[in-house]
Amino acid sequence: MQAPLLQLDNLKAWIEGGQYPVRAVDGVTLTINKGETFALLGESGCGKSMTALAIMGLLPAPGGRVVDGSIQLDGDEISTYPEVAMREIRGNRIAMIFQEPMTSLNPVLTIGEQIGEVLRRHKGLKGEAERQRILELLDEVGIPDPPHRIREYPHQLSGGMKQRVMIAIALAGDPELLIADEPTTALDVTIQLQVLSLLKKLQQETGMAILLITHDLGVAAQMADRIGVMYAGQMVEVADRQSFYQTPAHPYSRKLFRALPDMDKRSATLDMIDGTVPSLSQQFIGCRFAPRCDFRIDSCESSEPPWQELSAEHGARCHLLAQLDDEQTELPAETQTLANKEHPEQVLLSVKNLKVYFPVQRGLFKKTVGHVHAVDDISLALGKGRTLALVGESGCGKTTVGKGILQLLRQYTSGEVLFEGQSLTTLSGELLRKRRSDVQIIFQDPYSSMNPRMRVRDIIEEGMLAQKILPNVVQRQQRVEELMLQVGLLPDMKDRYPHEFSGGQRQRICIARALAVDPKLIVCDEPTSALDVSVQAQILNLLQELQQRLHLSYLFITHDLSVVAYLAHDVAVMYLGRIVEKGPVEDVLKQPRHPYTRALLSAVPRLDPETQTDVIRLEGDIPSPINPPSGCHFHPRCPEAMPVCRERYPDVSGDGHTTRCFLYEK
Amino acid sequence: MTMGTIQFAFLWTDILIFILVAAIAVFVIYTIKHKHLRDPWKRVFQRRLGMAAFLVLMAYVCVGLLDSVHYKKGDNPEIISLFDDLVGGLRTREEKSYSAPFATHLFAKEMMERADGSRVRGYPRLQYGGAHLQDPHKDKWADITQRVLQAVLLALIAWLLFSALMILWLARRKQQTWRSMLSSVWHGKESLPWKVVLVTLGLLILFMALLLQLSTHYHVLGTDKVGQDVLYQSLKSIRTGLVIGTLTTLFMLPFAIALGIMAGYFRGWVDDVIQYLYTTLNSIPGVLLIAAAVLMLQVYMSNHPDQFGDVISRADARLLFLCLILGVTSWTGLCRLLRGEAMKISQVEYIQAANAFGVGHLRVISRHILPNVMHIVLIAVVLDFSGLVLAEAVLSYVGVGVDPTTNSWGNMINSARLEMAREPMVWWSLIAAFSFMFMLVLAANLFSDAVRDAFDPRLQRQQ
């Protein structure tokens, strides 16, 4: 067997400076062979990125340092290299791409200059040779028209293009190892598919090894040869792909799989992992996962489990590996089926021809020169106690629909929003204010959706005060406590400030805040996309339960199709401000009609790569909503475009499960 | 000191100063009760320089506050301040004209009459400075040295007493023995830098003791043209500087906060009008505007002398007006900052959530936006303070500042213009004004650095 390219041995990287050191990486051992892809999986705060930064010698200063262990690159011990020597390695032998392509490129340099910088530094190329190589690299990463693009600035490129440029920069030094830190997390699924297949293609061509850091089990399944699962700064399981996805060994890995929402788990509560990842600024005694583990025994809390090999390629850190392989694996199945009663269809919300156009103003006198057609003629209906999912890639206007329904963008909105038969668009003043308690919203980012200077009780109370519900202080406080219990928070947390809570707890507070005014409809704007899988399951379960109990309706805005499959009754797929397909969730997800829906569904990475057949790869990005393409907005990217698609926008066809596509028009 | 009947006199600036003090007291109590407000202040005082600067500022503030309690005493029609009363002789011991620091004789030669009636031209003895000495040429330095030593001894005793009290208090509060408390203070193990407190206070006590010992028998910083003690003038100027630095902000804040937040929150035509207003105001040179306003006031005052009572109220009215006009011209910078910040915050999701609840505009502004821009206001106020103290000096130098009868560093510098041209040069007025102003501005700047570091969220994230 050949020598491994990268070998970490009991690596410990701590960040010192606070009261206690943060043990971000606490004894990680892993090997990556040449030409192999190793995926590092885990929730946020488990030390994945810190491992990568430790390898690069880029631990946050001051305070971050490698405390113990070794990092060997091709036999060289690089953890003790001085900064000068590391600079020779960085970008040359190890390259890195980051999650956020928007902030990892310098906005005042052209992309040509940024790629050239690496070439000059590490390859000593200059002048025409440098330019030729830049063009080659841009071509390799699939950027169209390189001679033109070389002079462009980052802001002129879309997110996917920027990530391609980042890859080109990483490739410029011909690295032996590419570290990709969540390279597609900020991208839409169709773009994610483009970037992932590009990485795969480049790996085959250059034979470099990839250390892929991700939280997405699907992405890891697509890309990785071997997989390592990290928890609280430690490696808890390492396996080849096949054994990991077929027989995950560690309880944490198993839980991760079971917490994933999908169609089959509908009408059952998701198996969730209670609590959150523990703080890393403590000294652990027993197993780090023990407090959240269903199988824990006494020795889990008293002694640290040793590393156990299951086979040559498969090992895990758990006391119970041997026992777990028996029938216990499916225990404890507390999945009580929630009675999903079908209610007589009673329309709560109906939206007719909703349009939201934002004016584009230019010049000294702010003349309106055009409009952003954020939402362009949308009609939908939502029944009482039901969930309608609005699906689409970023920039398609799904959030704007939510805000349009909430009457937060009145000056730009036209069309009709009927709530219980009453038109919200024509209401104003006090009447509208009263109506506002019926429709509430939960936002994506649990950090910016609460005023950091208000206590939890004030946050939850705010809606009641504004709506003059319960004018009595004592009653109001009682209600606040009730609400907190209802969303799974302890009432004695009410005097804390938002920053003292974790992401999932914050999202619970937001839900409590919305519930405070007894709404009938809640617009959920990507409420789980900023959360980890285990916490996402907690929130989805809570939403399910509240719907059952309080008979709520949800307008669920999301880009995550597995969440849709789990939670929604109906689905509407949006593309560039319009709904292209709409229908009951099973019909749309199992028999998608519109080419865009089909492409979207096929782009979602599956856990079992074998089932991923005939991937429809969409080229390019979503066009600008200022100048949407003529005819069907989707035709420039559509694999089945016909001449008529260029001429006019297709009408709605079908009944119940409707589509706007000429393929189905009669 | 005979205690006659005391009749308090409230000048306009006094009233405003005490309102300000009350407001700050309320703010401090409110801050102490709220953890998220208390924490950044704690960070301010945890910094050694921040703590030292704060104590120096407090020393200035004490003088300023003592100087802001005005009253008439007995039948004396003159309004004096508590500070005047406390320093006693410093105010009344006036010489004939210039005398250098620690001088025993006047600075310029004069015709003197001898005991035998003959007239001689020479340096006459000062009426008060070193008057207790038999032979000033021989005894002066010995006397000064003795007094300095006495002062040091006095300061040391006072300091030790104070330190002991402080250690005991701390030990009692933290339930420790005084020995362990002493060692943890000495080694800087406490959360606050008490050692710095002790050192700074020690220096302040020493400084006070020296002045106490020396200024009763000498003019420590010399005398000015009309024989007034320069040390007294410099100390009186503290109040003027503080008034300008604080009251101006008081006038400026309502404009800056209300207009800035309104522009950023409401946008549209409100924003256009406010932007137009401050762009216009910003394009007029500030000094020009101030000069015009002050000159207009002067004309008004001389035409309506009956409205402005005595000299001191008149000077006070002018000081207040200067604060007002400085406030009107200096709100634009903060306003612009707040507009941008309010614009950013009004897009944040918690504001949208509030809108979705139907929360009114006023409530959104007061509950959501204002608390989240307060750190900017605070940083701006503290940073502006030193700038305003310096602005007063510049304006008084130009002649459009405070009333010439008001003691201020600007006026001292202005008169130094002529003194510097004399031969030999009279340098002490300028140096005194400069040193006092320098200490205040330096302390304010160091303190504002500490405040900014503690409150600026961007700086915190880097830590």
Side-chain angles (χ1 to χ4, degrees):
Chain A
M1 204 180 134
Q2 58 173 352
L5 175 68
L6 179 81
Q7 182 150 25
L8 306 187
D9 191 22
N10 195 28
L11 178 71
K12 292 187 179 185
W14 294 2
I15 299 161
E16 285 157 354
Q19 208 166 5
Y20 303 103
V22 177
R23 297 149 199 265
V25 182
D26 205 13
V28 166
T29 304
L30 67 86
T31 51
I32 301 178
N33 297 317
K34 290 197 170 92
E36 169 184 73
T37 303
F38 186 95
L40 209 49
L41 267 172
E43 296 179 274
S44 53
C46 281
K48 306 183 303 274
S49 294
M50 279 302 158
T51 310
L53 292 176
I55 296 170
M56 293 287 280
L58 288 175
L59 285 169
R65 66 188 184 93
V66 173
V67 181
D68 194 16
S70 76
I71 306 170
Q72 291 194 348
L73 180 70
D74 229 353
D76 302 332
E77 175 62 45
I78 59 171
S79 64
T80 52
Y81 273 24
E83 174 64 19
V84 185
M86 274 316 285
R87 251 180 257 158
E88 280 309 313
I89 289 175
R90 256 182 248 142
N92 197 12
R93 294 176 65 186
I94 311 177
M96 188 160 176
I97 50 179
F98 297 91
Q99 173 176 357
E100 206 45 76
M102 327 299 167
T103 49
S104 18
L105 288 171
N106 186 339
V108 297
L109 293 179
T110 63
I111 60 171
E113 282 165 356
Q114 300 192 46
I115 301 173
E117 205 178 350
V118 184
L119 292 174
R120 284 194 299 275
R121 173 78 178 80
H122 290 299
K123 298 283 159 203
L125 293 179
K126 269 191 222 121
E128 191 51 30
E130 180 194 329
R131 193 181 135 80
Q132 277 309 320
R133 182 74 185 123
I134 296 173
L135 293 179
E136 267 171 48
L137 282 167
L138 286 177
D139 195 48
E140 267 174 48
V141 296
I143 286 179
D145 191 15
H148 179 66
R149 294 283 175 171
I150 195 170
R151 285 192 305 273
E152 287 198 341
Y153 288 90
H155 71 264
Q156 291 166 294
L157 304 173
S158 67
M161 284 292 174
K162 276 185 216 161
Q163 200 57 294
R164 283 166 193 267
V165 172
M166 278 307 294
I167 296 174
I169 293 174
L171 286 180
D174 293 322
E176 297 157 50
L177 173 67
L178 177 71
I179 301 177
D181 188 355
E182 305 260 9
T184 56
T185 307
L187 305 174
D188 286 310
V189 271
T190 57
I191 312 293
Q192 163 170 302
L193 184 68
Q194 292 173 4
V195 171
L196 291 182
S197 36
L198 171 69
L199 281 176
K200 249 185 188 166
K201 188 194 97 186
L202 292 170
Q203 187 178 29
Q204 274 158 16
E205 286 169 11
T206 61
M208 64 183 172
I210 297 181
L211 173 60
L212 178 75
I213 295 171
T214 181
H215 67 277
D216 189 331
L217 288 165
V219 169
Q222 292 287 304
M223 297 289 293
D225 300 311
R226 290 197 305 129
I227 284 159
V229 182
M230 268 189 95
Y231 186 79
Q234 269 187 339
M235 203 61 109
V236 293
E237 182 165 1
V238 175
D240 58 305
R241 179 177 61 201
Q242 202 157 13
S243 23
F244 181 73
Y245 281 90
Q246 278 166 8
T247 53
H250 197 278
Y252 177 62
S253 319
R254 296 179 194 199
K255 277 281 196 181
L256 281 183
F257 280 104
R258 303 241 298 264
L260 278 183
D262 67 31
M263 188 76 99
D264 304 330
K265 293 176 190 152
R266 273 180 80 84
S267 72
T269 49
L270 286 172
D271 200 356
M272 55 189 181
I273 314 178
D274 293 322
T276 48
V277 179
S279 156
L280 295 177
S281 54
Q282 55 178 313
Q283 190 141 27
F284 293 95
I285 301 167
C287 171
R288 295 169 189 210
F289 186 60
R292 303 173 74 188
C293 185
D294 295 333
F295 305 104
R296 76 173 159 266
I297 52 172
D298 290 343
S299 59
C300 291
E301 273 159 32
S302 54
S303 69
E304 181 155 342
W307 185 257
Q308 296 188 24
E309 298 279 335
L310 289 169
S311 66
E313 284 291 314
H314 196 169
R317 190 185 289 277
C318 182
H319 283 303
L320 294 160
L321 282 187
Q323 290 100 304
L324 284 181
D325 273 332
D326 310 336
E327 72 277 22
Q328 280 194 33
T329 37
E330 287 309 311
L331 275 177
E334 47 178 293
T335 48
Q336 83 229 42
T337 32
L338 292 168
N340 199 359
K341 286 176 284 177
E342 287 300 317
H343 306 289
E345 190 70 0
Q346 192 182 353
V347 174
L348 181 74
L349 172 84
S350 103
V351 175
K352 286 180 187 147
N353 306 95
L354 182 73
K355 287 179 192 164
V356 183
Y357 291 176
F358 297 109
V360 180
Q361 292 170 332
R362 291 243 171 82
L364 186 61
F365 296 102
K366 305 217 173 128
K367 215 172 99 184
T368 304
V369 292
H371 283 95
V372 179
H373 301 246
V375 176
D376 201 3
D377 201 0
I378 270 185
S379 301
L380 45 86
L382 176 56
K384 225 171 180 166
R386 288 178 74 84
T387 303
L388 170 67
L390 207 53
V391 187
E393 293 177 280
S394 53
C396 74
K398 47 191 197 305
T399 298
T400 315
V401 172
K403 289 186 183 160
I405 290 171
L406 279 160
Q407 304 298 310
L408 292 178
L409 300 164
R410 282 166 79 84
Q411 63 269 47
Y412 309 115
T413 313
S414 66
E416 207 172 10
V417 178
L418 291 170
F419 190 83
E420 291 183 321
Q422 190 177 24
S423 170
L424 294 184
T425 32
T426 51
L427 283 182
S428 65
E430 194 58 24
L431 285 173
L432 176 69
R433 236 178 50 116
K434 285 230 174 79
R435 263 290 173 199
R436 282 198 186 279
S437 67
D438 290 336
V439 193
Q440 276 306 313
I441 186 164
I442 303 169
F443 294 99
Q444 169 178 4
D445 183 1
Y447 292 87
S448 66
S449 53
M450 277 181 288
N451 186 342
R453 313 222 174 239
M454 276 164 80
R455 288 173 302 179
V456 170
R457 65 197 295 172
D458 299 322
I459 289 170
I460 298 177
E461 214 180 46
E462 183 169 41
M464 289 192 262
L465 284 174
Q467 291 292 333
K468 303 193 177 69
I469 303 170
L470 300 179
N472 182 320
V473 185
V474 183
Q475 282 179 335
R476 214 160 47 218
Q477 283 311 312
Q478 250 170 7
R479 178 87 178 113
V480 168
E481 287 175 16
E482 254 173 58
L483 285 163
M484 290 183 73
L485 277 175
Q486 202 164 36
V487 298
L489 294 170
L490 296 174
D492 54 356
M493 294 173 170
K494 67 181 176 184
D495 284 326
R496 298 204 197 155
Y497 288 91
H499 67 88
E500 297 171 64
F501 292 90
S502 68
Q505 284 176 319
R506 283 162 183 245
Q507 208 57 296
R508 287 170 193 269
I509 300 171
C510 290
I511 294 172
R513 170 173 69 180
L515 290 179
V517 292
D518 303 317
K520 294 173 181 142
L521 167 69
I522 298 185
V523 177
C524 306
D525 189 357
E526 309 245 16
T528 59
S529 26
L531 304 175
D532 283 312
V533 185
S534 65
V535 183
Q536 163 173 305
Q538 296 169 7
I539 297 295
L540 290 179
N541 281 345
L542 176 64
L543 288 173
Q544 274 277 39
E545 185 204 321
L546 289 172
Q547 180 165 48
Q548 302 289 332
R549 187 133 48 105
L550 303 172
H551 212 51
L552 293 170
S553 303
Y554 293 135
L555 178 67
F556 206 91
I557 297 166
T558 184
H559 68 273
D560 187 340
L561 289 163
S562 57
V563 173
V564 174
Y566 172 69
L567 200 67
H569 301 108
D570 302 290
V571 187
V573 182
M574 273 187 84
Y575 186 77
L576 215 60
R578 298 194 180 187
I579 292 179
V580 294
E581 183 163 0
K582 188 168 65 178
V585 66
E586 304 218 346
D587 295 356
V588 175
L589 295 189
K590 293 215 170 121
Q591 287 119 32
R593 290 185 191 160
H594 198 282
Y596 176 65
T597 317
R598 280 188 269 160
L600 207 58
L601 282 169
S602 78
V604 178
R606 300 278 156 78
L607 292 186
D608 186 0
E610 270 69 57
T611 62
Q612 192 128 17
T613 44
D614 54 299
V615 173
I616 305 166
R617 199 164 297 156
L618 290 184
E619 293 309 322
D621 298 303
I622 290 193
S624 150
I626 300 177
N627 285 314
S630 64
C632 174
H633 293 344
F634 187 58
H635 84 259
R637 299 174 77 193
C638 184
E640 296 179 58
M642 301 176 287
V644 64
C645 298
R646 248 165 241 124
E647 284 155 26
R648 60 185 178 84
Y649 205 91
D651 291 324
V652 180
S653 54
D655 189 31
H657 180 179
T658 60
T659 324
R660 295 188 85 169
C661 181
F662 286 112
L663 290 173
Y664 301 96
E665 218 168 68
K666 286 166 190 115
Chain B
M1 225 187 281
T2 53
M3 293 299 284
T5 50
I6 283 179
Q7 194 190 351
F8 282 100
F10 293 103
L11 301 179
W12 273 106
T13 47
D14 293 345
I15 295 170
L16 288 170
I17 283 174
F18 285 107
I19 290 175
L20 189 69
V21 169
I24 291 174
V26 170
F27 175 74
V28 167
I29 292 168
Y30 184 80
T31 304
I32 288 173
K33 281 190 179 161
H34 290 74
K35 192 179 176 303
H36 70 97
L37 297 171
R38 199 172 58 217
D39 282 350
W41 281 109
K42 216 169 165 183
R43 281 201 293 275
V44 171
F45 292 112
Q46 273 166 359
R47 292 176 57 120
R48 291 197 303 255
L49 264 179
M51 184 58 118
F54 174 76
L55 291 173
V56 173
L57 278 181
M58 277 302 110
Y60 272 89
V61 168
C62 281
V63 175
L65 284 179
L66 288 176
D67 204 8
S68 297
V69 183
H70 286 99
Y71 48 78
K72 283 181 192 165
K73 209 167 170 188
D75 310 327
N76 196 341
E78 197 186 5
I79 296 178
I80 57 167
S81 72
L82 187 57
F83 175 77
D84 294 335
D85 232 1
L86 287 178
V87 298
L90 206 56
R91 179 169 69 100
T92 47
R93 283 196 293 269
E94 283 184 18
E95 305 293 345
K96 236 166 136 188
S97 180
Y98 291 119
S99 71
F102 293 110
T104 50
H105 293 81
L106 272 182
F107 188 63
K109 277 187 178 166
E110 260 179 30
M111 293 301 279
M112 291 187 298
E113 202 166 323
R114 285 211 178 141
D116 56 9
S118 62
R119 291 165 74 86
V120 185
R121 210 174 139 71
Y123 299 106
R125 275 293 290 268
L126 292 179
Q127 210 176 335
Y128 300 100
H132 61 297
L133 300 174
Q134 291 297 324
D135 183 359
H137 295 290
K138 212 172 74 198
D139 303 337
K140 189 171 99 175
W141 290 110
D143 184 54
I144 289 175
T145 315
Q146 194 200 343
R147 281 174 193 281
V148 167
L149 285 177
Q150 276 172 5
V152 171
L153 196 69
L154 203 71
L156 199 66
I157 293 168
W159 184 72
L160 282 175
L161 204 67
F162 175 82
S163 306
L165 280 175
M166 199 185 84
I167 298 281
L168 283 178
W169 172 68
L170 279 174
R172 218 179 123 176
R173 210 179 58 163
K174 302 229 165 141
Q175 314 263 311
Q176 287 180 7
T177 59
W178 68 270
R179 271 170 188 283
S180 68
M181 198 67 221
L182 184 65
S183 96
S184 70
V185 164
W186 184 252
H187 292 109
K189 284 187 189 130
E190 291 297 302
S191 64
L192 291 176
W194 292 112
K195 202 162 85 177
V196 176
V197 174
L198 288 179
V199 171
T200 317
L201 281 178
L203 288 175
L204 285 172
I205 291 173
L206 180 68
F207 192 63
M208 253 173 68
L210 283 173
L211 287 184
L212 267 179
Q213 282 294 313
L214 292 169
S215 66
T216 45
H217 293 86
Y218 295 97
H219 297 291
V220 177
L221 291 173
T223 55
D224 74 345
K225 193 175 178 181
V226 294
Q228 210 175 30
D229 193 287
V230 173
L231 175 66
Y232 173 72
Q233 280 185 342
S234 309
L235 287 171
K236 287 286 275 184
S237 302
I238 290 176
R239 177 176 184 271
T240 315
L242 290 178
V243 164
I244 298 263
T246 52
L247 288 191
T248 302
T249 11
L250 202 65
F251 290 123
M252 171 192 94
L253 283 186
F255 283 104
I257 294 179
L259 295 180
I261 292 182
M262 269 162 64
Y265 178 69
F266 290 112
R267 315 262 179 114
W269 66 266
V270 180
D271 187 22
D272 288 345
V273 169
I274 292 169
Q275 270 197 73
Y276 179 79
L277 194 69
Y278 72 59
T279 317
T280 313
L281 208 60
N282 242 7
S283 328
I284 306 170
V287 177
L288 194 76
L289 212 63
I290 294 165
V294 169
L295 292 176
M296 267 159 57
L297 180 81
Q298 261 177 338
V299 172
Y300 181 83
M301 276 178 164
S302 51
N303 289 345
H304 304 81
D306 46 315
Q307 289 178 13
F308 295 96
D310 45 13
V311 182
I312 195 161
S313 327
R314 204 181 137 111
D316 184 69
R318 183 155 160 183
L319 177 63
L320 186 66
F321 189 75
L322 185 69
C323 292
L324 194 76
I325 188 71
L326 268 173
V328 170
T329 50
S330 66
W331 57 271
T332 53
L334 180 59
C335 182
R336 198 183 304 206
L337 273 180
L338 289 181
R339 171 178 171 265
E341 196 64 19
M343 222 171 228
K344 212 167 73 194
I345 292 176
S346 64
Q347 291 307 302
V348 176
E349 285 165 349
Y350 55 83
I351 305 278
Q352 294 185 5
N355 286 337
F357 281 127
V359 178
H361 290 312
L362 199 66
R363 217 177 146 74
V364 169
I365 289 178
S366 63
R367 293 260 291 185
H368 291 293
I369 297 185
L370 191 60
N372 283 298
V373 297
M374 271 326 269
H375 66 281
I376 296 184
V377 174
L378 196 80
I379 293 168
V381 165
V382 184
L383 277 179
D384 276 359
F385 173 81
S386 53
L388 287 166
V389 173
L390 294 174
E392 184 275 329
V394 172
L395 290 174
S396 300
Y397 179 80
V398 178
V400 293
V402 294
D403 194 84
T405 60
T406 310
N407 284 312
S408 89
W409 293 316
N411 278 341
M412 285 169 77
I413 294 171
N414 187 22
S415 55
R417 184 157 47 165
L418 295 172
E419 292 162 3
M420 300 290 281
R422 283 170 66 108
E423 180 62 40
M425 194 162 71
V426 173
W427 47 268
W428 46 88
S429 270
L430 186 73
I431 294 292
F434 174 79
S435 322
F436 273 82
M437 202 158 67
F438 173 76
M439 279 306 289
L440 177 62
V441 171
L442 183 67
N445 280 342
L446 289 175
F447 187 65
S448 68
D449 271 352
V451 169
R452 194 183 46 201
D453 286 356
F455 279 84
D456 198 325
R458 267 169 307 174
L459 290 174
Q460 273 170 52
R461 235 170 271 141
Q462 286 167 3
Q463 284 170 3

